[in-house]
Amino acid sequence: MVAASETVTLVLGEDSPLPESAADVEDLVRRLRGHVAQLGARTASGTPVLLRAQRLCSDSVPEGYMPSRVYLVELAEATQELVSHVERGDPGSMRPERRRRSWKPRINMLRGAVFAVALACLVWAATVPRT
C-alpha cells in the first residue's frame, strides 16, 4: 500500500509536474494498474471502488497530450480510493494481514559460526609474536 500511495503522489501531488513524454505516462499507468491488481486481491469482488478501478485499468490510454494525462489522473484517483478502502479494513476484505515470523537460524549454522570465530581467534593468537 505504501508503494501505491507513493505512485499516486507522483501523479496527484501538488509539487508533481505532469509527465513530459508518452513513455512516462505509460510507465505510471503500468505501475498504477499493478497496484490496482494487488489491492484488488485484498478487496471483495463486486465492491464499487474496485469495479471503478478495474474498469479504468481495462481502458486503453487515450491518444493525445491532454486526454492521456486526464486518464492518468483518473486512474490515480481510483487507486487512491482503493488504497483508502483497503486501509480502512472494510468487512469485505478477502485476506487478513499475515504476521511476519522472525527468522531463527538453525543450530548447525550457530555451531559453524562459533567454530569459525574460534578458529579465527586461534589463527590470530598463533600469529602474535611471543615476548
Side-chain angles (χ1 to χ4, degrees):
M1 286 193 299
V2 173
S5 296
E6 289 175 359
T7 306
V8 167
T9 303
L10 284 174
V11 177
L12 299 178
E14 290 182 20
D15 298 335
S16 299
L18 286 175
E20 295 281 330
S21 67
D24 293 339
V25 172
E26 289 288 336
D27 180 50
L28 288 169
V29 166
R30 186 175 34 79
R31 284 185 190 181
L32 289 170
R33 286 176 177 167
H35 295 313
V36 167
Q38 290 175 346
L39 293 168
R42 299 179 61 187
T43 307
S45 60
T47 307
V49 174
L50 177 61
L51 292 175
R52 177 176 179 256
Q54 288 175 336
R55 182 184 49 80
L56 282 169
C57 286
S58 65
D59 294 344
S60 61
V61 179
E63 294 293 323
Y65 183 83
M66 284 308 290
S68 64
R69 275 47 175 195
V70 168
Y71 171 77
L72 178 64
V73 168
E74 288 176 350
L75 184 59
E77 288 172 346
T79 306
Q80 187 176 32
E81 289 174 8
L82 190 57
V83 166
S84 64
H85 179 78
V86 171
E87 282 178 344
R88 281 193 311 260
D90 287 344
S93 291
M94 296 294 283
R95 297 182 189 165
E97 295 257 347
R98 290 188 195 179
R99 288 190 176 179
R100 269 187 122 171
R101 290 186 349 184
S102 62
W103 180 76
K104 294 182 181 178
R106 297 183 184 260
I107 190 70
N108 287 338
M109 185 179 288
L110 289 174
R111 288 178 181 158
V114 169
F115 177 75
V117 170
L119 184 62
C121 289
L122 183 64
V123 169
W124 177 76
T127 60
V128 174
R130 297 182 187 168
T131 54

